[in-house]
Amino acid sequence: MILTGFRYGLEIPEVFQHQQPIVVYFRMDEDALRGLDPRADPQLQRRALQYFEQLKSSPDGWKLCAATFTNGNYFGNDQVRFFCLQVIEHYLKYGYREAGIDIQQSLRSLICTCLQLMGNESNEDRSFLRNKVAQITSLAFVADYPSRWPTFFTDLIGILSASAKAVDIYLRVLLSIDSEVVDREIVHTFEEIQRNTVIKDAMREQSVLQLTETWYTVLTQFQSSNPEVTCMCLDVIGKYVSWIDINLIANDKFVEVLLEFMSMPLLRESACDCIHDIINKGMEPVAKTKLIESFTSILQIRGILNPQEEEEGDYMAKLSKLINGIGVNLIISWQKLQKAEDQENARVTMAALEEKVPLMFRFLGDEDDDVSGAVIPFVQEYIGVLKQLKQMLPKHREHVEGLLYTVIKKMKYDDSYNFDHEGEDEAMFQEYRKQLKTLFTNLSALDTELMVGTIHNLVSQTLPQWETVKVCDLEVAISMLYMLGEALPFVLFQSPQGQQFSPDISKASALQNMIRTLITSRVSCQGHMIVELQFFETVARYEKFFLAEPQLIPDVLMAFTDERGFRHPSAQVRSRTSYLFSRFIKGLKGQLNPYIEDVLSRIQDLLVLNTPDNGYQHLLSNEDQLFIYETAGSLIVSSSLSPERKHHLMKELLSPIATKFESLLSKLQGETDEKRQYAYAQSINMATSLASRVSKGFSSQQTMQACGCVETFTDLLKIFLQAVNVPTHRQLIQTGVRQYLHRMVVCLEKEILPFVPVVLENLLKQPEAKELHDFLPLMNQLIMKFKSAIVPFLQQVFMPLVSTIFRVLSTPTDDLDQVTAVEKKMLQRSYYLFLSTIISNDCLDVIKNQEMNNLHDLLLTIVQGAADIPDPQSQKMCYNIMRKLIETWGGPNGLAGFVDFMYKSFLPACFLGPMKPTFDLNDGQTSLALGECAHCLKCMLDKRGQELLSYLSTDYLPKLNVPAENIQEFCEALKTDYKTFRNYLKNFFLKAKS
C-alpha cells in the first residue's frame, strides 16, 4: 500500500500468532507536523489541525500514523507521536468495529509493537504517551474481546518481559480497561452496559485467575526495586476486586503481602487504599462483617490502627479513610440485617461496630483536618444509627458527649488562619467546618439537654473572661451559641405561651441567659474581626430576645454604630454589619422609638454620598451604604413619631442627596475627561439608588401619604428627572431614575402620573431598543396599579410610544451585530407584553379609542407577531392577545368591523404561524404557543359558532387545499374539549408539514 508518496519502508513483525505484517511506504506532511509545536505560529497550527482532520477522515490515515509512530525517525518527538496515537484512537472508536479480519490482524500487530516499544527498558517515553497506548489497547480490547480476540490476556501477558517498563505498560492497560468497562463514574449507553457485562463474565471465566497470579508476582518482585510499579499494581487490584471473586484476593498470600506493605513507607498508602477497596466490595452482610473483622483484627494486632501522634499526615489520612470504610460498611451491613430481621447477626455486627467507635474518635479528633475529615461520613452514619435505636444506653450518651466535645474542639480556628487574606487553605477549613456543623446539628437531635447544657457552660465560662481567653476560643463559643438556634429551633423557640423569650429573668431559659451573657460580658470589645463578626451575626440571629429584654438594645445599637461595627478597621466587618444592622432593625421596629434620632445622628457621616470630589475614602462601599439608607428609612417610617416629625427626619435624610445630585449633574455636563464623566455618572446613579432604598421602608400600612412624606419624595423626583436629558452615560443615569420611578409607583398614588410623560418625552427623542425595553415594565407597573383609572393618561402617550417602538424595530442594522438583534427581539417581546397588560387590566378602551387606521395597523402587528416572528414567546403572547380581543369584540355586539378582520387576519394567523419552518412543534416553548393558538380557535368557535365552522369548511380550508375528509375531521375536533383539540392540532400541523 502506498500513502502520499514513497520515502521509507517499515515492516512490523509477526505478533500475537498472526502472519499479516503491515508494510507501509509513507511520507508525512512535515510542514503540518511542525504546527504541532506549541511555539509554532497560528497559521502552522491551523494547518496541523486540518491535517489531523484529513487523516481522521481518510480510511488509511491510521495506517500512515501507525507506521509513523513505530518508525524510529520520530522517537523523541512527543508531539508527533501523540498526534499519531490520536488518529489511531479515532479510528478505533469510529471505524474499527466494522473492519475485516485483515485489518483486525494488522491492528493487533500494531498494538503488540506499541506495547513492546513501551516495555523496552531503554525507552524513555513520557506518561501521557504510555497512557495513550494503554487507552488504544483497551479500545481494541472492548471491540474484540471475547468474540474476535478470546486470547487477548494470554497474548498480552505473553509479550511482557520481567522489566519494570513492561510491567508498567501492562498495568496501565489494565487500568484503561477498567475505565472502559467498569468505572461507574463514566456514563455508558445501554448497549455499552450489555457489552461490558459480556466482557466481565468472559474475564471471570477465562482470565481473572491468570491476572491475579501476575499481580502477586508483580507485588513480590518489585516491592523493593520499583515501589511505583508496585503501587500501580495495588491500584489495579483495588479496582478489579469490586467485581471479581473476593477469595482470589482476600486470601492468606495476598493479605500477608498487604500487611507487610503497611509497614513500608513507600507502599503503605497504596496498600491502605487497596484494603479499603477490598472492604468496600459489595457482599452479603454476614460475609462482609466477617471480612472486615478478619482485616481489622490483624491490623490491630500489628498495631497499624494505633499509629503514633507524630505519624506522617498523608498516611494518617489514608488510615482515616480506611477506618471510615470499615465503619460505614459495618453500618450498611447492620441496616441490611435489621431490615431482614436477622437479629442475631445484627447483634454481632452492632458489637463489631461499637468496637470501632474508639477508632472513630481517635481519627475525628486528630490535629490534622484532612485526617479528621476523612472519617466524618462514619461519624454521620453512626449518629444515624443512634437515632434509629429505640433507647440509647449510657455508653451511647457518652459517645454523643464525646463527639460533641470533639466537634467543638475541631471547630476552632488555627493560629495560622489568615483572616485578612483567605486563600486555599482557609477555604478548605471553611468546607471542613461546614461538615462539623452538620455533625453538630445531628448530635443536637439526639440529646437536647446535653447540647444546651454543654454550650451554656462553654459560653458562661469563656465570654466573661474574654480579655484573657484566646480569640479562637471566644469565636467558637459565640459560634456554638449561634448554631444552637439553628440546630434546635423548635425546642428553643416554642413554649406553651408561644413566646420565644420570657421578660421575667427568673424564668429565663438557658438560651436567654447565654444571649444576655454575650451582650453584658462586653466581649464585643475584643477587637478581632472574627469575634466582632460572630457577635453581630448572633445578635441579629436572636433579635426576638430583645423583645423580652429591651434594656439591652442600646448596648447593641452602640456596638453597631461605633468602632466595633460600622467603623471597624476591617472592611469585611463594616460591610457585613451594614447588612446585619438592617436585619436587626427590621425585627425590632416597635422597640426602637426611644433610640431613632440618636441612631440617625450617629450614622449621619456614613450617609454622605460618595463622589469623585469627596477627597477621602468612604468607610462604607456603595453596596453597604444602600443597606444603611434602607435601615434609616425603615427606622423613620416604622416609628411612632408624628407625621410632621417623620417628614422632617426624612427630609434631613434625603436633602443631602438632592443637594449633591444637582451639583453632580452640573459637573458632569461641564466635564470633558471621560474617566471623571463616568465617575460622576456613577455617583448620580448611586444617588437615585439610595433614595430608592429609603423608600423600601414604606408598606401598605405605613404609606408615604400616612407618614407625610409625599412631598419629600416627589420633590426629589423632580430633581432626578433633570438628568434624563443628559446625553453622557445616558443608559447608566436613566437606569437609576427608572429604578426610582418604579419605587414611586409602589409608594405613591396618582401623584406619580404627571412625571411619566417627562421621562417618556425624553425617551422618544433618540431611543434605543434597550432603553425602550427597559422602560416598558414601568408602563406595565402603572397599568397594573391604576387599571382603568389610567386610561385618560395612557390614551395620550399610547400611539407615540407604539410608533417609536416600531420605528426602532424597523431601523436597519448590521447582520453581524448580534447584540442589537437580541435587543430588538427583547423589545418585540416587551411590546406584546405591554399590549397584553393593557388588555388584561381593564384598559382596552385605550386601544378601542384609537383612530381607525391606527387601530388597524396595531392589530396587524399582533397578527404579524403570531404568524411571522420566529420567537415562540412572542407568538404565545400574540395568540393570547388575539383570544382576549375575540372574547371582548368577537360577539354580536362587538367592535364594528372586528369580526371581518378576525376572519381575514386572526384566523389565517392561527394556520400560518404553526406552518412556518421555524415553528418547531416538538419544542417546549413552541408547544405553549400552539396551546394559545388552540385557545384562540376555540374562542372563535364560542363567539361565532356554526358561522365559523361553515367558513372553515366551505371557504378558508378548501383554499388551503386541505382534503375534504381532513376539513370535516378538523371541524369535528374543534368542537371537542380544549385538551383534545390541542393534541389534534399538533398532529394536524405535523401531518401538514411532513
Side-chain angles (χ1 to χ4, degrees):
M1 173 196 295
I2 299 176
L3 290 175
T4 62
F6 174 91
R7 190 172 177 186
Y8 298 109
L10 169 72
E11 179 172 316
I12 299 178
E14 176 187 336
V15 288
F16 287 164
Q17 304 172 11
H18 299 298
Q19 301 176 7
Q20 177 83 20
I22 303 176
V23 179
V24 180
Y25 298 101
F26 70 96
R27 184 177 66 208
M28 294 289 278
D29 185 336
E30 295 293 338
D31 287 339
L33 294 182
R34 279 198 292 275
L36 298 175
D37 191 325
R39 297 163 295 182
D41 65 66
Q43 187 174 354
L44 273 177
Q45 290 181 349
R46 283 193 296 272
R47 182 170 177 180
L49 184 61
Q50 291 169 354
Y51 188 47
F52 180 56
E53 295 301 322
Q54 175 190 336
L55 288 171
K56 285 199 304 183
S57 60
S58 168
D60 294 327
W62 74 272
K63 296 179 182 178
L64 174 59
C65 289
T68 303
F69 181 81
T70 53
N71 182 276
N73 292 340
Y74 291 97
F75 284 2
N77 191 329
D78 292 342
Q79 285 90 0
V80 171
R81 301 188 78 209
F82 190 73
F83 174 89
C84 293
L85 291 175
Q86 285 180 298
V87 174
I88 298 167
E89 176 191 10
H90 181 271
Y91 174 71
L92 278 163
K93 284 182 175 179
Y94 303 107
Y96 176 62
R97 195 167 291 276
E98 307 302 324
I101 190 166
D102 289 348
I103 294 294
Q104 292 169 29
Q105 291 176 348
S106 296
L107 199 128
R108 292 176 201 176
S109 298
L110 165 68
I111 288 173
C112 175
T113 302
C114 289
L115 292 174
Q116 287 175 333
L117 286 172
M118 295 293 115
N120 190 326
E121 274 299 310
S122 62
N123 194 316
E124 296 298 330
D125 283 314
R126 292 159 68 182
S127 287
F128 70 90
L129 281 175
R130 302 174 74 80
N131 286 337
K132 185 58 71 174
V133 167
Q135 185 185 6
I136 285 171
T137 305
S138 68
L139 288 173
F141 166 78
V142 295
D144 287 349
Y145 185 84
S147 58
R148 297 200 304 194
W149 196 352
T151 60
F152 174 87
F153 288 106
T154 303
D155 295 343
L156 176 65
I157 294 169
I159 66 166
L160 293 176
S161 65
S163 73
K165 287 282 177 65
V167 173
D168 173 274
I169 191 62
Y170 165 66
L171 295 172
R172 288 177 195 265
V173 169
L174 294 183
L175 289 172
S176 189
I177 287 173
D178 172 79
S179 295
E180 293 289 338
V181 177
V182 182
D183 194 335
R184 291 179 175 85
E185 293 184 7
I186 297 174
V187 179
H188 292 289
T189 64
F190 178 72
E191 290 76 14
E192 287 172 338
I193 292 171
Q194 288 184 311
R195 176 204 70 187
N196 294 344
T197 300
V198 170
I199 288 173
K200 287 189 287 186
D201 287 344
M203 286 180 66
R204 289 188 191 101
E205 184 178 340
Q206 301 170 11
S207 308
V208 165
L209 180 59
Q210 188 181 14
L211 290 175
T212 58
E213 289 173 353
T214 65
W215 299 339
Y216 183 76
T217 301
V218 170
L219 293 181
T220 53
Q221 285 189 1
F222 291 93
Q223 57 179 283
S224 300
S225 60
N226 200 314
E228 188 176 340
V229 164
T230 307
C231 289
M232 192 186 301
C233 186
L234 289 169
D235 189 18
V236 169
I237 294 170
K239 292 185 181 302
Y240 279 70
V241 77
S242 66
W243 58 274
I244 67 175
D245 182 357
I246 187 66
N247 294 310
L248 293 173
I249 302 299
N251 54 46
D252 289 344
K253 69 175 186 178
F254 266 103
V255 170
E256 186 57 39
V257 171
L258 290 172
L259 292 173
E260 183 182 346
F261 288 175
M262 291 294 287
S263 61
M264 300 172 69
L266 295 179
L267 301 179
R268 59 185 184 176
E269 290 179 29
S270 293
C272 208
D273 278 340
C274 188
I275 295 172
H276 179 265
D277 289 331
I278 294 169
I279 286 172
N280 268 351
K281 179 177 172 61
M283 299 171 64
E284 288 300 312
V286 175
K288 173 62 74 71
T289 301
K290 289 179 179 177
L291 175 70
I292 291 173
E293 286 297 83
S294 65
F295 261 108
T296 51
S297 174
I298 300 170
L299 291 170
Q300 284 181 319
I301 289 171
R302 301 200 179 191
I304 293 170
L305 298 183
N306 297 295
Q308 299 297 315
E309 289 292 335
E310 64 276 6
E311 190 58 82
E312 193 264 329
D314 289 343
Y315 171 60
M316 287 292 289
K318 295 290 187 182
L319 268 184
S320 185
K321 178 184 173 184
L322 176 57
I323 297 300
N324 184 73
I326 288 169
V328 169
N329 277 286
L330 284 173
I331 290 170
I332 292 170
S333 295
W334 176 78
Q335 289 170 335
K336 288 179 179 178
L337 292 167
Q338 285 283 98
K339 189 174 182 180
E341 298 183 355
D342 186 347
Q343 298 303 326
E344 178 56 30
N345 282 314
R347 184 189 60 76
V348 172
T349 303
M350 175 57 79
L353 173 63
E354 292 290 352
E355 288 177 359
K356 310 304 178 291
V357 170
L359 291 171
M360 178 185 75
F361 274 106
R362 159 67 182 86
F363 286 91
L364 180 66
D366 193 89
E367 187 176 332
D368 189 322
D369 294 339
D370 289 337
V371 176
S372 174
V375 82
I376 282 179
F378 179 15
V379 182
Q380 194 73 275
E381 293 296 326
Y382 181 68
I383 293 171
V385 168
L386 295 182
K387 285 181 180 178
Q388 295 175 51
L389 298 179
K390 294 178 181 178
Q391 183 175 7
M392 285 201 299
L393 300 174
K395 66 176 181 179
H396 295 139
R397 296 194 181 279
E398 289 177 11
H399 292 163
V400 172
E401 185 174 8
L403 285 171
L404 177 58
Y405 281 115
T406 304
V407 167
I408 293 172
K409 172 193 164 190
K410 292 299 297 178
M411 285 281 287
K412 294 179 184 179
Y413 286 99
D414 291 335
D415 293 338
S416 61
Y417 192 97
N418 190 334
F419 293 98
D420 296 317
H421 303 286
E422 293 183 322
E424 185 179 349
D425 289 344
E426 286 75 17
M428 289 173 63
F429 178 72
Q430 290 299 338
E431 286 300 313
Y432 168 68
R433 221 179 187 222
K434 287 178 184 177
Q435 293 179 293
L436 293 175
K437 184 179 177 183
T438 303
L439 293 183
F440 177 84
T441 301
N442 288 321
L443 285 168
S444 301
L446 288 174
D447 194 332
T448 302
E449 187 176 338
L450 169 67
M451 185 64 58
V452 174
T454 302
I455 304 305
H456 186 275
N457 289 337
L458 179 66
V459 168
S460 60
Q461 292 172 15
T462 307
L463 300 191
Q465 314 299 322
W466 63 268
E467 292 178 282
T468 58
V469 173
K470 291 175 67 174
V471 166
C472 62
D473 293 321
L474 289 173
E475 189 280 336
V476 84
I478 304 172
S479 290
M480 291 293 117
L481 171 56
Y482 177 91
M483 287 163 52
L484 196 61
E486 290 189 334
L488 303 172
F490 297 108
V491 176
L492 295 173
F493 292 158
Q494 288 189 348
S495 68
Q497 294 76 30
Q499 295 178 332
Q500 294 183 6
F501 298 98
S502 171
D504 185 346
I505 294 180
S506 65
K507 297 179 180 177
S509 65
L511 176 64
Q512 192 165 333
N513 290 330
M514 284 187 266
I515 300 169
R516 191 184 316 109
T517 301
L518 174 68
I519 298 162
T520 59
S521 68
R522 306 281 295 167
V523 69
S524 59
C525 297
Q526 199 277 338
H528 194 284
M529 63 170 291
I530 195 63
V531 175
E532 308 291 19
L533 277 173
Q534 200 54 56
F535 169 81
F536 288 116
E537 294 281 359
T538 307
V539 165
R541 171 74 178 80
Y542 297 116
E543 83 277 2
K544 296 294 188 291
F545 161 83
F546 299 95
L547 298 175
E549 300 195 30
Q551 73 277 8
L552 295 176
I553 290 176
D555 292 340
V556 177
L557 292 176
M558 184 71 76
F560 269 112
T561 55
D562 65 18
E563 291 75 13
R564 291 169 283 179
F566 301 151
R567 303 169 204 283
H568 195 278
S570 166
Q572 186 180 344
V573 175
R574 298 196 300 269
S575 180
R576 186 62 181 164
T577 51
S578 301
Y579 164 72
L580 293 172
F581 188 55
S582 174
R583 267 182 47 191
F584 182 75
I585 294 300
K586 286 176 182 176
L588 295 173
K589 287 178 180 177
Q591 302 292 317
L592 299 173
N593 285 315
Y595 319 110
I596 288 174
E597 298 200 39
D598 182 51
V599 170
L600 291 174
S601 172
R602 288 179 174 278
I603 64 174
Q604 188 66 42
D605 63 316
L606 300 173
L607 299 173
V608 176
L609 180 64
N610 198 10
T611 74
D613 305 317
N614 274 6
Y616 65 93
Q617 184 63 42
H618 235 265
L619 277 173
L620 300 180
S621 69
N622 286 348
E623 189 65 33
D624 302 335
Q625 246 191 353
L626 289 170
F627 284 116
I628 297 296
Y629 265 86
E630 182 179 340
T631 304
S634 182
L635 276 169
I636 296 169
V637 173
S638 62
S639 70
S640 59
L641 298 172
S642 66
E644 293 77 17
R645 189 60 184 158
K646 287 182 181 180
H647 169 70
H648 174 75
L649 291 173
M650 194 64 79
K651 195 163 187 177
E652 279 192 339
L653 177 64
L654 294 174
S655 290
I657 289 180
T659 305
K660 283 272 191 181
F661 188 91
E662 293 184 295
S663 169
L664 288 166
L665 193 58
S666 174
K667 289 178 178 178
L668 170 63
Q669 290 170 319
E671 184 59 64
T672 56
D673 181 78
E674 288 187 8
K675 286 187 178 180
R676 286 186 68 81
Q677 281 181 343
Y678 182 64
Y680 282 127
Q682 280 186 309
S683 294
I684 290 170
N685 175 277
M686 185 62 188
T688 54
S689 298
L690 291 172
S692 298
R693 289 294 279 266
V694 171
S695 72
K696 287 199 168 188
F698 296 104
S699 63
S700 55
Q701 289 81 29
Q702 296 281 1
T703 64
M704 207 171 271
Q705 186 80 41
C707 295
C709 296
V710 171
E711 183 184 349
T712 304
F713 282 90
T714 52
D715 285 348
L716 202 56
L717 180 54
K718 292 173 188 175
I719 295 170
F720 289 164
L721 288 177
Q722 297 173 32
V724 296
N725 292 314
V726 177
T728 310
H729 295 292
R730 168 186 169 117
Q731 195 170 86
L732 176 61
I733 292 171
Q734 286 200 353
T735 298
V737 175
R738 203 165 46 243
Q739 178 190 28
Y740 186 75
L741 272 166
H742 277 294
R743 286 298 309 154
M744 293 305 99
V745 173
V746 174
C747 299
L748 295 172
E749 295 302 319
K750 292 183 181 178
E751 304 97 339
I752 185 66
L753 294 180
F755 296 99
V756 179
V758 179
V759 181
L760 189 58
E761 181 185 354
N762 176 75
L763 183 66
L764 299 184
K765 289 177 183 175
Q766 292 178 320
E768 295 178 357
K770 187 176 189 313
E771 288 179 349
L772 284 166
H773 166 67
D774 291 339
F775 175 76
L776 286 174
L778 178 64
M779 296 299 298
N780 295 340
Q781 187 184 12
L782 286 164
I783 294 165
M784 287 188 284
K785 177 166 184 173
F786 296 108
K787 300 190 183 300
S788 59
I790 203 177
V791 168
F793 160 77
L794 199 56
Q795 189 81 42
Q796 299 173 21
V797 302
F798 179 74
M799 277 315 297
L801 178 57
V802 169
S803 300
T804 304
I805 290 171
F806 275 88
R807 187 171 75 250
V808 170
L809 288 175
S810 61
T811 303
T813 54
D814 188 337
D815 291 340
L816 299 176
D817 187 353
Q818 290 299 311
V819 174
T820 303
V822 170
E823 288 176 352
K824 284 189 173 184
K825 182 178 180 180
M826 298 307 295
L827 177 57
Q828 270 180 335
R829 287 184 190 172
S830 297
Y831 165 69
Y832 291 122
L833 181 58
F834 175 51
L835 295 183
S836 181
T837 305
I838 290 173
I839 294 168
S840 303
N841 288 276
D842 301 326
C843 296
L844 192 54
D845 283 350
V846 173
I847 297 175
K848 180 180 178 182
N849 295 335
Q850 297 300 319
E851 294 179 9
M852 189 56 66
N853 60 327
N854 287 341
L855 176 59
H856 183 268
D857 291 345
L858 179 71
L859 293 177
L860 283 179
T861 66
I862 300 167
V863 173
Q864 181 190 17
D868 296 330
I869 296 176
D871 175 26
Q873 290 189 41
S874 293
Q875 289 177 298
K876 174 177 173 288
M877 283 189 279
C878 289
Y879 285 125
N880 181 269
I881 293 167
M882 286 163 51
R883 176 173 62 83
K884 290 176 179 176
L885 291 175
I886 293 166
E887 286 175 350
T888 308
W889 294 339
N893 302 315
L895 187 67
F898 177 78
V899 172
D900 185 56
F901 186 88
M902 179 186 76
Y903 279 125
K904 290 182 178 178
S905 298
F906 281 10
L907 181 65
C910 292
F911 289 87
L912 294 174
M915 284 301 295
K916 286 281 168 62
T918 54
F919 198 94
D920 182 359
L921 291 161
N922 295 313
D923 175 73
Q925 286 292 332
T926 309
S927 294
L928 296 175
L930 185 66
E932 284 297 336
C933 176
H935 257 310
C936 195
L937 289 167
K938 289 289 291 179
C939 188
M940 288 185 200
L941 180 65
D942 291 341
K943 292 296 178 181
R944 307 310 302 178
Q946 187 59 42
E947 175 189 293
L948 173 70
L949 296 174
S950 298
Y951 179 73
L952 285 168
S953 58
T954 61
D955 192 334
Y956 184 69
L957 290 177
K959 287 180 181 177
L960 297 180
N961 297 320
V962 179
E965 62 272 18
N966 290 356
I967 293 175
Q968 178 64 28
E969 186 182 77
F970 184 93
C971 292
E972 289 300 320
L974 184 56
K975 291 188 283 185
T976 61
D977 63 273
Y978 162 71
K979 186 175 181 181
T980 302
F981 177 63
R982 182 190 64 194
N983 293 334
Y984 168 81
L985 196 64
K986 179 177 179 179
N987 291 324
F988 176 82
F989 286 119
L990 283 170
K991 290 178 183 176
K993 293 169 80 169
S994 62

